Amino acid sequence: MSKLTRVAAQRQETWAQLHHRLITIPLDYSSVLSRDTYAFVRHVAESMSTNAGYVLSSLLTSTVFVLSLSAKLTTFKGFDSVPNLYTIFVGPSGTGKWQAIKSAASSPLNHLIQDKELASFLVKVVSLSGLMEKLSDEKTAFILSSDICNVLNKLIQTEDESCRDASVLLYELFYGEGVSMTYATGRGRIMIPKGTPFSILGATHLQSLAKLVVAMGHRRKLLDRLVIFTPECYLPTPDVREQAKDYLAGKPVHSFEGFISAVYDLHVTPKCYQFTSSANELMTKLETDFIAKLNEAIRSGSPPPRAKPIDVVQRIALGLHVIEHVLGQLTSGVAPTSPALEISRDVLERAFTLVNHCEIQKDTLVEFLGSL
């Protein structure tokens, strides 16, 4: 029996127990967001009958995508990169996954497209060739789906006449590498330039995610670039929902549409973000420690350790940095100003907190699948 068949054969009780195990891995949102920012995100979520984790995932990804349209991020190694981000959040049916995507990504981005008269960069369902053509023609794309694992499974498993592995292409696009594909028919050679903005945001339930992870198989490089978050997803009661609406009614802004537009306007002139020297020292120390562990594993003939996804952490830190500054001003009734171009060590550590939590959840899922 294949691994996929064994995954499909699991009872709903098994997935419910695994989901409970994942959401009980503790995460204190105060270690990721400031008090005021978390309060606004939570109340927006509750007013939409969803939860803060889903909304935060959506908001981070849409923010980083808008930044990628014109801003660059200088990594701690000194390279300028386009901050593309791939995010999946996980929860059972009926817990408000689409409401979160709509409130923090779909609606604000559609508003931005219409208000600024931009070519639509949003993609819902797409073939590999269709995605490559979109990126080649429009020079940007954002895959947005409430069934993201189905979309990615089709991309990864579908045979394509270009004979390119979709997981390798997605990995290259994550790093903003130039990509080319050659077709025997149709458009022939497709070229995607270096530094193309491209992000992925979607929701799924646990069994679909498990099928995607199994389908990836040896493609660990792509899996390691996916931010996969399974937050607590308790639904707010009607009373809590009304209280959230009352809270938002007393704020200068009630949604994320103005925020996303402000982020875009503040970055019409291209900017390049970098980290403070203290933040760079932290990342350099982590890299040094990893190299020491890797060398020791080679000497002893042990399996090599997995590197921390520092590339992902840096992009999450960029999103948190801009959200805290711009959203903080808007919710205080202050006209937004450009964020500082240096990202602090504190914000970086907050990003590490969130990504480390997601990595623990991901490892727990992979361990479970390995036991089947």
Side-chain angles (χ1 to χ4, degrees), residues 21-317:
R21 182 179 171 190
L22 294 176
I23 66 172
T24 52
I25 297 171
L27 173 66
D28 182 0
Y29 281 103
S30 67
S31 63
V32 178
L33 297 171
S34 67
R35 182 188 62 184
D36 290 344
T37 300
Y38 174 62
F40 186 78
V41 168
R42 178 173 63 83
H43 283 100
V44 169
E46 290 173 348
S47 73
M48 301 284 292
S49 294
T50 183
N51 64 80
Y54 291 173
V55 171
L56 177 59
S57 300
S58 302
L59 184 62
L60 272 170
T61 313
S62 59
T63 301
V64 172
F65 174 75
V66 171
L67 290 169
S68 74
L69 296 175
S70 62
K72 300 295 181 186
L73 177 64
T74 301
T75 69
F76 79 104
K77 294 182 180 180
F79 300 113
D80 289 348
S81 64
V82 56
N84 295 336
L85 189 62
Y86 300 168
T87 306
I88 299 173
F89 60 88
V90 187
S93 299
T95 54
K97 295 191 289 293
W98 175 245
Q99 289 95 311
I101 292 175
K102 183 178 179 181
S103 68
S106 176
S107 290
L109 291 172
N110 274 309
H111 174 78
L112 178 68
I113 290 167
Q114 294 171 10
D115 185 49
K116 307 300 179 182
E117 297 183 347
L118 305 175
S120 180
F121 41 67
L122 297 178
V123 179
K124 290 186 178 179
V125 180
V126 66
S127 63
L128 179 59
S129 60
L131 175 62
M132 295 301 109
E133 288 186 12
K134 175 79 171 177
L135 288 168
S136 178
D137 292 341
E138 306 293 344
K139 305 298 185 289
T140 183
F142 189 179
I143 295 180
L144 201 62
S145 175
S146 58
D147 188 15
I148 193 64
C149 286
N150 183 48
V151 173
L152 294 179
N153 259 321
K154 287 180 179 178
L155 284 176
I156 290 171
Q157 297 183 44
T158 300
E159 290 291 330
D160 188 87
E161 67 170 293
S162 69
C163 298
R164 291 296 305 272
D165 186 329
S167 66
V168 174
L169 287 170
L170 292 174
Y171 176 83
E172 292 171 347
L173 290 169
F174 177 86
Y175 284 105
E177 297 179 13
V179 173
S180 66
M181 297 177 66
T182 302
Y183 290 92
T185 58
R187 297 193 48 176
R189 188 173 179 82
I190 293 178
M191 300 289 295
I192 299 170
K194 182 178 179 180
T196 295
F198 172 63
S199 288
I200 298 171
L201 169 65
T204 191
H205 53 82
L206 198 51
Q207 187 173 10
S208 291
L209 175 62
K211 291 177 181 178
L212 176 65
V213 172
V214 170
M216 284 185 174
H218 64 280
R219 304 174 180 94
R220 185 76 204 203
K221 281 187 174 182
L222 178 58
L223 182 61
D224 287 344
R225 272 76 196 168
L226 295 177
V227 179
I228 302 175
F229 187 23
T230 310
E232 289 187 342
C233 54
Y234 305 113
L235 286 175
T237 64
D239 285 347
V240 170
R241 188 169 63 242
E242 291 306 311
Q243 290 168 12
K245 291 178 180 179
D246 290 341
Y247 171 91
L248 294 173
K251 288 290 182 181
V253 293
H254 314 134
S255 70
F256 297 115
E257 287 187 0
F259 165 74
I260 289 296
S261 292
V263 171
Y264 179 87
D265 289 340
L266 292 169
H267 295 84
V268 170
T269 301
K271 292 180 171 62
C272 188
Y273 287 90
Q274 60 185 353
F275 292 91
T276 62
S277 58
S278 178
N280 282 328
E281 286 171 5
L282 173 60
M283 289 185 281
T284 301
K285 181 181 184 302
L286 290 172
E287 183 186 35
T288 301
D289 292 345
F290 170 75
I291 290 173
K293 292 177 182 177
L294 177 61
N295 289 340
E296 180 56 34
I298 293 171
R299 290 189 194 98
S300 62
S302 304
R306 277 182 53 217
K308 287 185 177 294
I310 293 180
D311 294 327
V312 174
V313 172
Q314 292 176 97
R315 298 170 195 209
I316 294 290

